[in-house]
Amino acid sequence: MPVPNSAVPQLSLRINEIFHSLQGETSRAGLPTVFIRLTGCPLRCTYCDTSYAFHEGETLTLPEILDKVAQFHTRYVTVTGGEPLAQKNCLPLLQQLCDVGYSVSLETGGAMDISKVDARVSRILDIKTPDSGEAEKNRWKNLELLTPQDEVKFVLCGEEDYRWAKQVLSEKRVADRCPVLLSVSQGQLEPARLADWILRDNLPVRLQIQLHKHLWGEGRGK
């Protein structure tokens, strides 16, 4: 006997927060965006600024998540974490967000397989540097999957991280695949120093500064 639709379990995710702000990073910086922050992350980067997302959150069904996003009446949605791909139902969430017409970006730490992410999603792949403490977790096969609509990000803690990133850019030819972003770990490296190195070496990258932190500091929900 068929199970009534009302009895079919809905796909759900553990959600840390959903909020409306300006995108602070990537080529979308400055755009009004709804952020869906998923709970949980397998990495423990030394500079992590969202450790509150490791465990805190509530379970929401996908329709409940889409209803909350719709309340903000904006075109852009970013799915982030934690590490959003650590939850398997992140994939159908991304698909449904695209299906209803949002311009969707995914912020992922680079340790998880991105091959099954909906092709309409802009994947922001964070390559972990040695000073992050998690460089050995980088899934290098992900680089082969990148397209021009994706972006690669390095968060740098100092000059050794910069030299390492420069070597990766050269060996992996990352900038030939998609835009590359270099960012500083706040309080560890001055943006002006990184800017000088980029200019000196004529790197094919974009320097980014976390806009949201300059506007609102370290406050949550921004």
Side-chain angles (χ1 to χ4, degrees):
M1 181 175 179
V3 178
N5 287 340
S6 59
V8 177
Q10 292 276 7
L11 296 179
S12 63
L13 287 159
R14 187 77 172 163
I15 300 296
N16 178 264
E17 56 184 346
I18 298 175
F19 62 95
H20 187 219
S21 186
L22 297 182
Q23 174 59 260
E25 302 181 77
T26 77
S27 62
R28 301 181 178 211
L31 291 173
T33 301
V34 175
F35 292 82
I36 306 172
R37 187 181 305 283
L38 274 61
T39 300
C41 185
L43 304 180
R44 292 295 182 269
C45 299
T46 57
Y47 48 70
C48 181
D49 57 2
T50 54
S51 58
Y52 58 85
F54 290 166
H55 306 292
E56 298 176 14
E58 62 175 331
T59 300
L60 297 174
T61 65
L62 266 58
E64 288 173 332
I65 296 169
L66 265 67
D67 284 346
K68 287 180 178 291
V69 171
Q71 294 173 15
F72 296 105
H73 305 287
T74 188
R75 177 188 175 196
Y76 298 97
V77 175
T78 293
V79 178
T80 185
E83 169 50 66
L85 291 179
Q87 296 191 52
K88 64 179 182 179
N89 287 339
C90 178
L91 295 175
L93 171 64
L94 293 167
Q95 180 182 349
Q96 289 189 27
L97 287 166
C98 292
D99 286 348
V100 297
Y102 292 111
S103 178
V104 182
S105 61
L106 168 73
E107 297 182 346
T108 177
M112 310 292 294
D113 181 10
I114 65 170
S115 64
K116 296 181 180 179
V117 173
D118 192 290
R120 295 168 291 181
V121 174
S122 175
R123 299 167 297 189
I124 314 302
L125 185 70
D126 191 343
I127 296 181
K128 300 304 182 183
T129 63
D131 282 347
S132 75
E134 295 286 21
E136 73 280 359
K137 303 287 181 60
N138 287 316
R139 184 183 175 90
W140 296 108
K141 290 182 179 180
N142 281 336
L143 294 181
E144 302 170 7
L145 305 172
L146 296 174
T147 71
Q149 76 175 15
D150 301 316
E151 300 179 22
V152 164
K153 180 177 75 171
F154 295 83
V155 177
L156 308 177
C157 300
E159 191 165 5
E160 288 303 313
D161 270 0
Y162 173 78
R163 291 173 181 166
W164 182 88
K166 187 169 68 167
Q167 183 176 353
V168 170
L169 290 173
S170 175
E171 292 179 354
K172 306 289 188 181
R173 302 188 65 84
V174 182
D176 291 346
R177 296 182 179 274
C178 67
V180 176
L181 314 164
L182 297 190
S183 182
V184 301
S185 174
Q186 194 167 19
Q188 293 185 273
L189 176 61
E190 288 297 320
R193 290 195 70 197
L194 177 55
D196 288 339
W197 298 337
I198 292 171
L199 291 171
R200 178 194 66 196
D201 297 332
N202 197 29
L203 289 189
V205 301
R206 172 181 291 182
L207 171 65
Q208 70 169 12
I209 298 173
Q210 292 177 301
L211 175 64
H212 52 292
K213 290 187 178 180
H214 284 268
L215 293 173
W216 298 295
E218 297 282 352
R220 291 171 62 164
K222 292 291 188 181

